[in-house]
Structure formats: C-alpha cells, structure tokens
Amino acid sequence: MTGLGRHGAAASTALDAALADREWDEQRLRLYRQGRDRLVAEGYVQVSMRMFRRADAPPQGADDYACQTDGMIGLGCGARSYTSTLHYSFDYAVDLREIRTITDDYTATEDFSRAVHGRRVDGAEGHTYTDAEAEQWTAIDPLFPYSRHPHRSAGLPCRTGESVISVDGDGDGTVRRCHFVRSELGNLYDGSYRRALEPRACPLAVCDCHIGYVHLETLPLYDVFAGGVLERIPAAGAARA
C-alpha cells in the first residue's frame, strides 16, 4: 500500500545494475591486461594503450606515430587495422549497450579470416582521395572536407595539455597531453599532471586523426562539432566545411 516494497525493489535493481557495470568494467580491464601481457611476452613493446611495436623494430623517434600513415594491426573487438592499401575493422561502438552486444558477438566469432568493415585506399600516404571520391563522400557527409587532408599543426596552439588530456588505458594512470604525443605530464591518480597543464603548441608536423586535430585552436571544429567533439557529432545546422 505504501509503495516501500517497490522502492526497495527499485533500489535493489539499481544496485544490481551498478554491480553488473562494475563487473563488466573489471572484466574488460582484466582481458586488456591479458592481451597486453601476451604481446609483451612475445617481444612487443607497449607504446600506447593500443599500440605495440616489436622490440627489434627500427627506432622511429618519440613522437613519430600517426595512425593514418603507419602500418598497424589492431587486435580485439573494435580494433582498426591499416595497411598501405586497406583500412579495415570489426564492429565498433561507444554506447555501453552496443559495446556489450558487439563484444559478445566478437567473443563468439570463430572465423577471423575476413574483415567486417573496410575500404581500399591509395596514394603516397595510403589515405588520399581524388576530387571525384571526395565529392561522393561530401554528398554523404557535408563536413567530410575537414577530414580529407592531414592538418598542419607544427607550432600551432592546441588545447591538449591545457584543457584536454589523454590517459593511458593500462590502469597505471599515466597522463599525456595527446594520444599522439608520447611525453608524459604526470599521473591521474596522484594529481601530479595538474601542475603541467598549460597552453602549448603542437610539436608534430601534421595531425591526421580527428581525435587529435579537433583540438587545434586554429580550426573551428569545437563549434562545428558542438554536438560531440570527440564523437564527431555536428552542431545543429553546422555549415558545410
């Protein structure tokens, strides 16, 4: 009659959901660490959360990596892989419910001999578009021109390292200014990174990935993608690039 029983049930349901979410996060981190340890045991060196280089690979420099131009094999659900002529991946999502679905589908997969999503690319850097191709993509996505070419970034002001940071996903809490700039700012858990936050210029020649160049202050992308900066969701009525 009072409804207290229903409130108790609702609270129990919410608690169960919270525990399930926590168990899900712990499982993902545990699986990530298992994969990382396997690669390290096989002679790979971890460069970032998602990138591992063979220990005997030629030295490349501290800040050389660019996902659009380096060859890369992605391992695991949602991972993207690049060769000089092909960009491919399995299903990818950012919504928690969708992540669970595609992860369950991935773990049930036995045939990994084919890619689910992909496209062939060409050009000197492997990711260039002819004017005709760019026109086709722009017809689908009017904001595609922002993504067509790498953006010159050397010496230009960038929000990373001031109001934007990147945290390594290995659980240690290492904070960097950007996913593509490997110098460390400090640690997330002890708060030491806060002392390093300051305006700074980009040390790389170009930035060719959305999660990087979207933070360049010389580009209008915070206004263009006001609906979701990292998710690349445009503001209502965003103008053509």
Side-chain angles (χ1 to χ4, degrees), residues 20-31:
D21 286 343
R22 180 176 179 179
E23 291 173 357
W24 172 255
D25 289 337
E26 291 175 348
Q27 179 190 23
R28 288 192 297 171
L29 182 58
R30 183 169 62 252
L31 292 174

Side-chain angles (χ1 to χ4, degrees), residues 4-228:
L4 293 177
R6 289 194 297 275
H7 288 171
S12 177
T13 301
L15 178 61
D16 290 343
L19 291 174
D21 286 343
R22 180 176 179 179
E23 291 173 357
W24 172 255
D25 289 337
E26 291 175 348
Q27 179 190 23
R28 288 192 297 171
L29 182 58
R30 183 169 62 252
L31 292 174
Y32 172 83
R33 287 172 170 166
Q34 290 176 0
R36 175 201 61 193
D37 293 345
R38 174 64 181 273
L39 288 170
V40 171
E42 294 294 328
Y44 288 83
V45 176
Q46 184 171 11
V47 179
S48 69
M49 181 184 77
R50 298 181 298 174
M51 181 184 175
F52 294 79
R53 287 192 188 276
R54 284 187 57 86
D56 58 356
Q60 300 290 325
D63 296 322
D64 68 304
Y65 179 63
C67 67
Q68 299 282 29
T69 56
D70 276 5
M72 180 182 74
I73 299 298
L75 302 177
C77 183
R80 296 173 292 170
S81 299
Y82 300 88
T83 70
S84 60
T85 59
L86 188 66
H87 174 195
Y88 61 94
S89 72
F90 282 86
D91 286 331
Y92 176 84
V94 294
D95 180 84
L96 183 58
R97 289 169 296 183
E98 294 178 356
I99 289 174
R100 287 178 170 174
T101 298
I102 65 172
T103 302
D104 290 342
D105 290 343
Y106 182 86
T107 55
T109 298
E110 297 181 356
D111 179 14
F112 291 97
S113 62
R114 61 185 182 86
V116 177
H117 306 287
R119 73 178 300 272
R120 294 193 177 278
V121 295
D122 56 19
E125 292 184 321
H127 282 262
T128 59
Y129 299 86
T130 65
D131 290 341
E133 290 173 333
E135 185 176 352
Q136 291 177 336
W137 281 108
T138 303
I140 299 172
D141 175 11
L143 299 175
F144 172 76
Y146 283 120
S147 306
R148 181 181 177 184
H149 300 292
H151 293 272
R152 186 179 69 83
S153 58
L156 298 180
C158 181
R159 296 176 179 88
T160 61
E162 180 184 11
S163 60
V164 176
I165 59 172
S166 174
V167 182
D168 285 2
D170 57 8
D172 293 335
T174 299
V175 175
R176 309 178 193 275
R177 64 169 295 179
C178 174
H179 179 69
F180 308 104
V181 178
R182 304 312 302 159
S183 53
E184 298 181 9
L185 298 183
N187 190 274
L188 178 70
Y189 301 123
D190 64 16
S192 57
Y193 76 96
R194 296 182 182 276
R195 295 191 295 271
L197 298 179
E198 62 181 7
R200 62 191 75 206
C202 179
L204 306 182
V206 297
C207 190
D208 61 1
C209 189
H210 174 82
I211 65 171
Y213 62 69
V214 73
H215 303 300
L216 283 172
E217 295 183 29
T218 52
L219 297 176
L221 300 185
Y222 266 49
D223 293 327
V224 173
F225 297 111

